[in-house]
Amino acid sequence: MALQGIEVEGIIIKEYPAKEGVSNRTGSAWKSQEFVIQTKDQYPRACLFRVFGADKLEQFNIHQGDSVRVWLDINARPWQDRYFNDISAFRVEHLDANASAAPSQPMATPAGNPSPAAGMADSITGAADNTDDLPF
């Protein structure tokens, strides 16, 4: 089960070089790139995420220093009896007026059916009311 619709707003603080290859299973070419977004909260949080697909990379047009809102899909994958998180962007919206890319198309969500990750999204975006000022 994937957690979808976790929304993070912040600044891209790191842009890693794109990776390309050919799938051993399908023989199709692939392209992927990782980015780090940092929130603008009192105690900023950072999140590493991946954009998979040359079409998505071109559509999202993300670069270091961009102010963006990113919708993430989180899934853990097993490898050698351990699990590793896979955090992928499925929608990106540029927040600054000088952004050269238009917002990507939103993913359809059933009306009246909130995401099970809604509570997590609040804690990531800072929407939840935090009464203490501890950074953890």
Side-chain angles (χ1 to χ4, degrees):
M1 174 170 129
L3 300 174
Q4 285 189 327
I6 294 180
E7 183 180 326
V8 180
E9 185 176 313
I11 297 174
I12 300 298
I13 60 169
K14 181 73 176 170
E15 174 182 358
Y16 289 95
K19 297 177 184 176
E20 299 181 57
V22 177
S23 170
N24 291 334
R25 190 172 52 96
T26 65
S28 301
W30 58 267
K31 187 172 184 178
S32 175
Q33 189 170 5
E34 293 179 325
F35 302 90
V36 178
I37 187 170
Q38 185 175 49
T39 65
K40 300 176 190 176
D41 299 330
Q42 180 182 1
Y43 300 106
R45 294 182 181 197
C47 178
L48 173 77
F49 67 92
R50 179 173 57 106
V51 175
F52 189 82
D55 57 335
K56 292 279 189 205
L57 285 167
E58 185 178 328
Q59 177 187 5
F60 295 164
N61 193 26
I62 304 171
H63 298 287
Q64 191 165 325
D66 288 356
S67 182
V68 294
R69 181 175 296 128
V70 182
W71 284 261
L72 302 171
D73 174 29
I74 301 174
N75 193 18
R77 301 194 184 280
W79 185 70
Q80 294 184 353
D81 202 31
R82 292 195 53 162
Y83 279 82
F84 295 88
N85 288 328
D86 178 22
I87 303 173
S88 300
F90 64 87
R91 178 181 172 194
V92 174
E93 186 177 281
H94 287 264
L95 299 177
D96 50 300
N98 298 329
S100 58
S104 65
Q105 294 299 318
M107 186 171 179
T109 329
N113 188 8
S115 167
M120 287 180 66
D122 287 344
S123 67
I124 291 173
T125 60
D129 181 29
N130 293 330
T131 55
D132 63 33
D133 60 349
L134 295 176
F136 49 91

